[in-house]
Structures are given as C-alpha cells and as structure tokens.
Amino acid sequence: MASKHLVVNFEHLSRSDGALVGGKNSSLGELINKLGTKGIAVPPGFATTSAAYWRYVDTNKIRDTIHSLITEWQWGKLTLAETGRALRSAFNRGSWPEDVAEAIRASYRALSVESGVENLSVAVRSSATAEDLPDASFAGQQETYLNITGPDALLNACRRCYASLFTDRAISYRQAKGFSHTSIALSIGIQRMVRSDLSGSGVMFSIDTESGFNKVVLINAAWGLGENIVQGTVNPDEYQVFKPLLAETNLVPILEKKCGEKAMKMVYGDEHMPTRNVPTSKAQRSAFVLDDGEILQLARWGCVIEEQYGCPMDMEWAKDGITGELFIVQARPETVHSRRDLTSFKTYQVGNKGSVLSTGLSVGDAAVSGRVCLIASAKDINQFVDNSILVTESTDPDWVPVMKRATAIITDHGGRTSHAAIVSRELGIPAIVGAGDATYVLHSGQDVTVSCAEGDTGFVYEGISDIVTKTVDLSGLPETQTKVMLNLANPAAAYRWWRLPVDGIGLARMEFVVSNAIKIHPMALVHFDQLKDEVAKREIIQLTTGYMNKPDYFVDKLANGFAAICASVYPKPAIIRMSDFKTNEYAGLVGGAEFEPQEENPMLGFRGASRYYSERYKEGFALECRAIKRLREEIGLTNAVVMIPFCRTLDEAKKVLHVMAENGLKRGENGLQVYVMCEIPSNVILAAGFTDHFDGFSIGSNDLTQLTLGVDRDSGELADLFDEQNEAVKWMIAHVISVAREKGCKIGICGQAPSDHPEFAKFLVRAGIDSISVSPDSFIAVKRHAASSEKT
C-alpha cells in the first residue's frame, strides 16, 4: 500500500475526510485549508489514516480478537474491565507494519525539517472516525500525548493511541451511543507542539455553554499546557466576549473577566515523563493569562470558525511562550445546545432553602435534591451508590460510567470547559464545578440540594429543598403592540432568558450589582485613606486585590455587571436604574456607616436623585456615571438607557442632568436616553414639565401607591389598604400615561400587578401604555394578557 494512503498532511485534508482521518484531524485540515488566509493560525502536522489503523489491526490479527471479546462482554461472560484490559494488551503487544512505521517516520522527519528542529516536539492526539459528530462528541474518550520527541517515542505513543480506542470508558460510550466497536477506526494526529508550557492555553466556545446564548464567546485560560483545563484539575480564568461588536475595532466588547486560581500548570518533563505538573507562582495565580487584545483576537477567530462550520463550535487554543503567537489546535462542533428545542425550555425554582454549604460554577440550569456520595479517587468508583449526588475533586473519562448513574455532580476543581462540565451537559444533569471545598464540607449520606437555577453561581444547600419545575412553551405566543419587557436584577442569570421574545429590559436595578458583586460603599473607595474602620479597610483591601486605584474596582465591577444584562437583549433597550439604596441600606455596605446619616424614615429620606448632586455622595455618583460611560462607549453597549429614581422636583431633574453631563453622560449625546421613575405624586402632577428633561417614564407602582394612599407598604397592619388597583392610583397612572402620549414621551410600568391581575394589564393597555416590564417567570402570562386586552 502506498505511503500516501497511510499518512496525510493536514494541509491536504478537509472536514469531508472524517472517514479517513476522524473528526479531529479532518477539522484541522479544514482550518488550515479554508481559514489560513483569514488569519487563523494552526500548527502544522500530519495524520495517520484509517487504512493505517486497519493495517496495524490485521498485521497483528486483532480484528477477530475485538469481535470475540466484545461479544463475550455483551453476553456477560467478561466484565468491562477484563474486556478493555485484554484488548489494550493486544494493541500494545503488536508490531508495526514496516510500511506504516516508515510512513510515520518519514512524515515526522519532514515536519522536523520544516520546523528547523532535528527531533521536533509533537502532540500526538487520537482522532476516531466517529468523533465530533453533531450528536456525539466522544470528548476525552481516547488518549493524547504531549511533548513527544524522536521517531521511536512517536511510534510508541501512536501504539498507545490505538490501544486507547478500547479504554473502558470508550467501550461503554460507544455501546451507549449505538456505535459498532468493529467498524470504528482510529486516526492519529501528529502536530508541532506550541510552547504553551512557557505561556498558557485553554478552551473556547462560540456560545454560552450553560444557556446556549449565541451572542457570546466563552474563553477559559490557564498557565501551561492545556490538559489541566480539559481534565478539570485547575480553576481557570474565564472571559466572555460579545460577538456582535467584535467588528468594531475601537471597542473592547469584553463582557466579563474572572481570574481563576490556576494553582498548577503542566510543563515539559523529560524522556521518561514528557509532561509534569508544577505549582504556579503567586504572581501567576493573581494574573490573567491573556490580555484584552489576545482575548479579542481569539474571540474573532472563534466567530470566523463558527461561520465556516455553520454551527456553534468548541475549540482549543494555545499561546507560544517563545514567540507570543496564538494558535488554534482543535475545533469541533458543539454537541449539546445545537440539539436543543428552542421553542420550549424548563425553569426551576428552589424554595425552603437550607443553609449554603458550598458554591461553585453552575453547569446547566436545573436543580435536584438527593444524598451525597463522596468518592475520593477513581479506584473507589465501585463504591458509588446509584442516583446519588457524586462529590469528588475532579473527573476524567474513567469516571463516565459512574457519572451516568448520578443525579448531580459536584467537583472541587475545574471550569465550564472541564471534563465534568462537558459530560454533565451531555448527560443533562446539573453540576457544580470549581467549588474548592466540596470534598471537605460534604460527606457521604448527607441530604443536600444542588441548585444551578440561580445564575452563574451554583449553590449546595443543606437538606431537601422544595423544587418547582415549569415548562415554558414559546410556540404560538401572540404578537402585541404593547411591548413586554423583563425586570432583571441578577446579571448572572441574564442569559437564561435569551430565548424569550422580550422587547428589552424594563428595569435593571443597580443595587443588586452593588450589594452582590461590589459590596463596598463607593465613598469608602474614594476616601479609602480616611476610613477609620480598620475591619472595613482590611475587607476592602481583600476585595480590591489587583486594583492600584480602588475606585476603578467599583467602575469595572458595575460596568461588567450590567454588560451581561444589556448584551442579553442587544440592540433592544436595557433600562438601568441608577442607585436607589436607602441610607440604612447604604450604611450596610462595607465602609458605608461612616458616610450615611441616621434617618427616622429612610423611605422618604436621602435617597435617589437627591444624593446625586449632594456633596455627601456626588463622588460616589461620579463612579456610577463612569461605569455607564464605559459600558456604552468602551464595551459598546449603546442600548443602555439610564433611569433616575425618586426625582422629586423639576429643579432636581436639572441638577441631576447637569452632574451627569459633568461626568460624561450628556442626554442625547451618542444616543443616550435618560428616563425617570414615576413613583411620586409630583411626577404625575408635573408630568408635562418632566417630559422636558427626560425621554421616558417608568411607573414604579409600589412607591406611587404608597405615596398616593399614604400607606407604608411594609406595614402588616395596613396591608389590606395597599392596593395598586385603587381608583386613586389608577387615576394617577392613567393621567401620566395621557400626558406622556401627548408629549411624545415613552412610558412603561415595572411591577408585579400586571402579571398577578389580568384586569390590571387590561387597564394599562387600554390607557395606552407603551410597555409593561415583569419578572421572567411572568412574561408568558403577561404577553397573553396584553394580547387579549388589545383585542377587546
């Protein structure tokens, strides 16, 4: 057989060659052939063909062995472990057919000459002829060997790749997916190593891995060679990039950057152990692996690759520590969200929560309760109890048979692209990865609830919680003239609702981001050196690690918090309400007590607009403005609309707009719209005047009801009197809607009443309201209420 049929250079392959060289290698050929001219850099290499595999199998008379051993296993005469061990032994004992061995050696010599190195260091990766299919990824089923040097070591690694086609996990995976064990061949990719041992590497998805949101690129990064990220043995950096704005070279559309622990890195070893793990330095643990320019370059490459394949992609990248160059080393179709039905999805609500035992990154969006089964090592997996919650440090493909029997998975280590995350998505079970302390704080036999239904963070609660599951059916949803928008507080949950056909975000509360992501009073950051509270100072130092200028921490966290919310509906509007803490709530932030007055009635006190121009808070408001300016002008999310709360007078409106302009937010400039909350009777009485200063109103029905009826909404004694449908309140609402329409000013409402009371929704629609903003779980009902009201 001619050597050209046994080995093929990547540059002569395309993705139609899957039967010849497997999905992984055919994809590398596609990248080099079709996308090299578009700037996608791929290290050169070559692939052994399926013909070479069958030549090895037949020369060593293994074909009949495969058939007989697999048959005995299927009939229950052999265990899976016995079957796999015998088949791997047959391959590892085999001898290379001379023509196959020489073809590999010759191609290796040529690759070494091309690279200017006598014995080039190469990566040796398995590529099965049935992998990377739309419905089966075969993720990590066969082996990869890194930093292989010299022809003899290369042939030995190739032999072990052939044997890995029959690891226990690979056999069980093929059986579960219905693939024939005797018809799948193995190709081997031999590729020049990128010196990422001297820099970093990682994984990239062209969609959000948890929600399937298709407008972001997700990148994970760690120091050293990439195996640690794939295996989930490190907690990597995570970067999110907004795809629609990547073409704008003047923007930096990075929505979020999280610095992972990255406690170890894989580097080159010696001839006996080609790779080894070493601890990272403190400097590396606290530093990002990639700078902004590199993050954007990879994201743009991800979009180009996705466009070429016509589907969401799962890619691996590496950065050469000597040249500083970035490379794509693998690309395959994403296999989970590409198969999902977009017309319906499930939501989960967790009630009666116990105390939080552990947290990590959530994988999936489900919640389950069950009993913990803690397995410390792969050698103990036979102790796993079916239908338990698997808790362990990390997983690799050897764990797959056990993972299939778990109701949820919790690992100490790993990111969203780790083995545990990938497999749990394929299996459709919730997982929490990178928890850090799960194996320390949890124990076998313990009843817990695993919730991945609350955003990016997954929670492990003590005990059995109440879990309510609902199916959201988007088919047949009516069109409405009245815009139906969402109230969103938690940026981490923004992507969960991207499939809802919403008309934008009607209310995004700044207080949630400040309380949960920032935690520090802005004035405590501005005047950090003058703080008297030493405990608060220590906490601020810890929270702001990496920030030389402490106010920058507030600006970055706030801008990134709102970036996800704005991106989830872009280019539709996202209305961001500036801070509306009461003084007692502000005082509860770290360092806040020194900057807030004591008030008898904070509800009617120093809140909202009155703070923004006050010397007490003016510098804090400047940080809020800087964050919005960065969100709109640097990240590029110009759909962000600013809304001012609790603006009592027209004079106050002028003062606030003046302070905003001083801080770079000038109404009308760069398309900036500024709304005002309509929640005080003066907003209704002077509505015509307010339209001269604002582009829109958003009716805050809670405060408007409270102040119209003179009822404390928090009073249990007066609960029966608090009624948004009281005729006085409805008159106020109808009047301000009428004035807004007359003045050509937009007006909406953000509150629960339209979802709880169809008749109230009908009243709003008939009054001519432009938009109704509700919580995500109420969207379908309100959309139907609005459609019904528009017909009558």
Side-chain angles (χ1 to χ4, degrees):
M1 182 179 286
S3 62
K4 68 178 181 179
H5 295 132
L6 301 174
V7 171
V8 183
N9 283 347
F10 288 157
E11 62 195 48
H12 298 138
L13 295 170
S14 69
R15 59 177 157 155
S16 61
D17 292 317
L20 182 68
V21 294
K24 192 176 298 178
N25 290 331
S26 62
S27 184
L28 287 170
E30 180 84 6
L31 294 176
I32 292 172
N33 269 317
K34 301 293 176 64
L35 300 180
T37 57
K38 295 185 178 181
I40 309 293
V42 178
F46 61 93
T48 66
T49 66
S50 55
Y53 170 80
W54 290 120
R55 185 93 169 81
Y56 184 95
V57 166
D58 290 338
T59 296
N60 292 284
K61 298 180 172 55
I62 301 175
R63 198 184 291 249
D64 289 341
T65 304
I66 295 171
H67 178 75
S68 61
L69 287 172
I70 290 293
T71 300
E72 288 191 61
W73 169 61
Q74 290 171 335
W75 286 355
K77 294 182 178 180
L78 291 175
T79 66
L80 175 61
E82 290 170 336
T83 304
R85 191 182 309 115
L87 287 169
R88 293 191 297 276
S89 177
F91 276 94
N92 286 325
R93 288 197 313 267
S95 301
W96 282 102
E98 186 51 39
D99 54 348
V100 177
E102 181 51 35
I104 293 172
R105 284 192 290 257
S107 292
Y108 175 68
R109 287 193 296 268
L111 184 61
S112 296
V113 169
E114 178 189 340
S115 302
V117 179
E118 183 176 352
N119 280 316
L120 181 68
S121 173
V122 292
V124 182
R125 294 187 174 94
S126 306
S127 179
T129 56
E131 73 179 359
D132 297 344
L133 301 175
D135 59 348
S137 70
F138 284 79
Q141 296 302 315
Q142 285 83 46
E143 297 295 349
T144 290
Y145 300 98
L146 302 177
N147 189 29
I148 302 301
T149 304
D152 292 340
L154 173 59
L155 287 172
N156 188 41
C158 288
R159 182 186 287 110
R160 285 183 287 160
C161 281
Y162 281 166
S164 75
L165 190 59
F166 291 94
T167 58
D168 296 357
R169 71 214 181 210
I171 295 170
S172 61
Y173 188 89
R174 283 195 299 272
Q175 189 73 14
K177 291 290 184 180
F179 287 94
S180 168
H181 299 277
T182 54
S183 62
I184 290 179
L186 192 84
S187 167
I188 302 166
I190 294 92
Q191 187 175 36
R192 188 185 76 198
M193 282 289 294
V194 177
R195 290 303 304 269
S196 58
D197 62 306
L198 303 176
S199 183
S201 54
V203 177
M204 171 168 63
F205 279 82
S206 65
I207 58 171
D208 177 57
T209 53
E210 306 321 310
S211 65
F213 181 49
N214 57 10
K215 290 184 179 179
V216 295
V217 173
L218 176 76
I219 301 171
N220 277 181
W223 299 112
L225 303 174
E227 289 303 292
N228 282 337
I229 282 190
V230 176
Q231 293 171 4
T233 52
V234 296
N235 296 341
D237 290 348
E238 181 174 300
Y239 318 123
Q240 289 184 15
V241 186
F242 192 50
K243 288 153 70 172
L245 297 177
L246 276 169
E248 306 292 332
T249 55
N250 61 317
L251 299 176
V252 183
I254 299 173
L255 302 179
E256 187 174 32
K257 291 166 61 177
K258 291 180 181 176
C259 189
E261 182 188 16
K262 308 180 294 289
M264 67 176 72
K265 63 179 179 178
M266 184 176 285
V267 298
Y268 282 12
D270 54 32
E271 58 182 289
H272 304 293
M273 184 181 292
T275 62
R276 62 193 179 97
N277 273 318
V278 297
T280 50
S281 66
K282 288 182 179 179
Q284 286 179 318
R285 294 182 189 193
S286 62
F288 287 113
V289 174
L290 297 175
D291 62 32
D292 287 357
E294 291 164 336
I295 293 169
L296 294 176
Q297 180 180 340
L298 280 177
R300 290 186 178 108
W301 283 3
C303 292
V304 171
I305 294 169
E306 181 183 60
E307 184 179 6
Q308 174 67 25
Y309 280 75
C311 64
M313 295 296 289
D314 168 3
M315 297 150 279
E316 295 182 24
W317 61 271
K319 180 182 175 182
D320 194 297
I322 297 175
T323 67
E325 295 175 284
L326 290 169
F327 293 91
I328 298 295
V329 295
Q330 286 191 50
R332 62 184 74 85
E334 189 273 342
T335 58
V336 176
H337 292 288
S338 57
R339 293 182 283 138
R340 281 195 172 177
D341 178 11
L342 297 183
T343 62
S344 67
F345 59 95
K346 286 185 176 180
T347 64
Y348 299 80
Q349 287 185 316
V350 181
N352 192 25
K353 300 174 184 175
S355 59
V356 175
L357 300 175
S358 185
T359 64
L361 295 173
S362 63
V363 178
D365 54 11
V368 298
S369 293
R371 190 154 288 176
V372 168
C373 185
L374 195 156
I375 304 292
S377 168
K379 63 180 173 51
D380 299 320
I381 58 176
N382 62 333
Q383 298 175 16
F384 182 74
V385 179
D386 286 0
N387 300 314
S388 295
I389 295 170
L390 172 63
V391 177
T392 189
E393 290 187 358
S394 63
T395 68
D396 61 31
D398 289 330
W399 289 77
V400 171
V402 168
M403 297 168 79
K404 290 178 180 177
R405 292 151 45 203
T407 57
I409 297 166
I410 306 170
T411 65
D412 284 344
H413 308 298
R416 296 188 198 283
T417 56
S418 64
H419 177 268
I422 290 170
V423 172
S424 64
R425 279 188 212 103
E426 276 205 3
L427 296 175
I429 60 175
I432 296 175
V433 297
D437 61 356
T439 57
Y440 181 75
V441 300
L442 303 177
H443 60 83
S444 290
Q446 184 177 17
D447 287 338
V448 300
T449 297
V450 174
S451 174
C452 295
E454 300 170 60
D456 286 351
T457 301
F459 296 90
V460 182
Y461 296 111
E462 186 174 16
I464 305 297
S465 301
D466 298 328
I467 299 172
V468 178
T469 306
K470 294 180 181 178
T471 298
V472 178
D473 185 2
L474 302 178
S475 60
L477 201 60
E479 296 285 334
T480 58
Q481 289 184 327
T482 307
K483 297 185 182 303
V484 183
M485 308 171 82
L486 292 188
N487 298 334
L488 275 184
N490 184 2
Y495 300 157
R496 306 276 164 148
W497 308 104
W498 73 274
R499 284 171 288 185
L500 291 177
V502 303
D503 294 302
I505 303 298
L507 176 64
R509 298 178 178 89
M510 188 171 287
E511 304 87 74
F512 187 95
V513 180
V514 174
S515 294
N516 293 277
I518 298 173
K519 302 179 181 178
I520 305 170
H521 196 292
M523 295 295 284
L525 293 166
V526 174
H527 297 286
F528 175 76
D529 292 336
Q530 284 78 52
L531 274 182
K532 299 172 185 174
D533 186 340
E534 291 299 325
V535 174
K537 288 186 81 168
R538 286 195 295 271
E539 191 169 352
I540 290 171
I541 289 171
Q542 183 178 9
L543 287 169
T544 59
T545 300
Y547 284 88
M548 296 294 291
N549 181 34
K550 297 201 178 329
D552 289 345
Y553 166 82
F554 187 93
V555 173
D556 284 355
K557 291 286 186 182
L558 193 57
N560 289 338
F562 283 124
I565 289 177
C566 292
S568 70
V569 295
Y570 184 88
K572 296 172 183 175
I575 302 171
I576 297 170
R577 188 178 72 186
M578 306 301 271
S579 64
D580 193 25
F581 282 119
K582 318 311 185 279
T583 49
N584 58 320
E585 295 167 338
Y586 262 121
L589 296 173
V590 178
E594 294 182 31
F595 298 95
E596 296 299 328
Q598 294 280 337
E599 293 188 304
E600 289 296 325
N601 190 355
M603 184 72 74
L604 297 179
F606 186 47
R607 63 176 285 202
S610 62
R611 298 181 65 93
Y612 304 159
Y613 55 87
S614 167
E615 292 303 320
R616 272 186 175 273
Y617 188 73
K618 196 174 181 180
E619 293 164 303
F621 184 64
L623 299 187
E624 296 181 25
C625 292
R626 278 179 55 194
I628 299 299
K629 185 176 173 66
R630 178 169 176 259
L631 176 70
R632 288 176 51 84
E633 298 180 13
E634 294 180 30
I635 299 175
L637 292 162
T638 52
N639 62 325
V641 176
V642 171
M643 184 158 67
I644 305 301
F646 227 75
C647 186
R648 295 170 169 96
T649 67
L650 297 177
D651 185 55
E652 196 164 59
K654 294 174 188 175
K655 289 179 179 179
V656 169
L657 291 173
H658 177 71
V659 173
M660 286 178 60
E662 286 182 333
N663 287 288
L665 291 180
K666 188 174 182 180
R667 180 187 170 210
E669 200 169 89
N670 194 27
L672 176 64
Q673 293 188 13
V674 184
Y675 283 25
V676 65
M677 288 291 293
C678 179
E679 53 191 342
I680 309 170
S682 62
N683 299 141
V684 178
I685 296 165
L686 300 175
F690 277 103
T691 63
D692 293 334
H693 304 289
F694 297 104
D695 301 288
F697 292 101
S698 182
I699 300 168
S701 56
N702 282 342
D703 273 350
L704 186 59
T705 300
Q706 174 175 247
L707 296 174
T708 299
L709 299 180
V711 174
D712 182 352
R713 72 188 192 199
D714 295 326
S715 170
E717 293 295 324
L718 302 176
D720 291 343
L721 293 175
F722 188 88
D723 182 9
E724 293 162 305
Q725 297 194 75
N726 181 278
E727 288 303 316
V729 179
K730 289 171 71 176
W731 184 92
M732 300 288 271
I733 292 173
H735 180 73
V736 74
I737 291 173
S738 174
V739 173
R741 291 181 67 84
E742 181 183 334
K743 293 288 188 176
C745 190
K746 294 172 185 171
I747 186 161
I749 187 170
C750 47
Q752 191 62 23
S755 52
D756 292 340
H757 306 289
E759 67 276 14
F760 191 65
K762 190 172 185 177
F763 156 72
L764 292 170
V765 170
R766 285 184 170 178
I769 201 158
D770 292 315
S771 65
I772 300 172
S773 189
V774 296
S775 59
D777 59 344
S778 302
F779 175 81
I780 298 294
V782 172
K783 188 77 169 173
R784 296 193 188 281
H785 293 338
S788 174
S789 301
E790 287 175 357
K791 291 178 183 177
T792 56

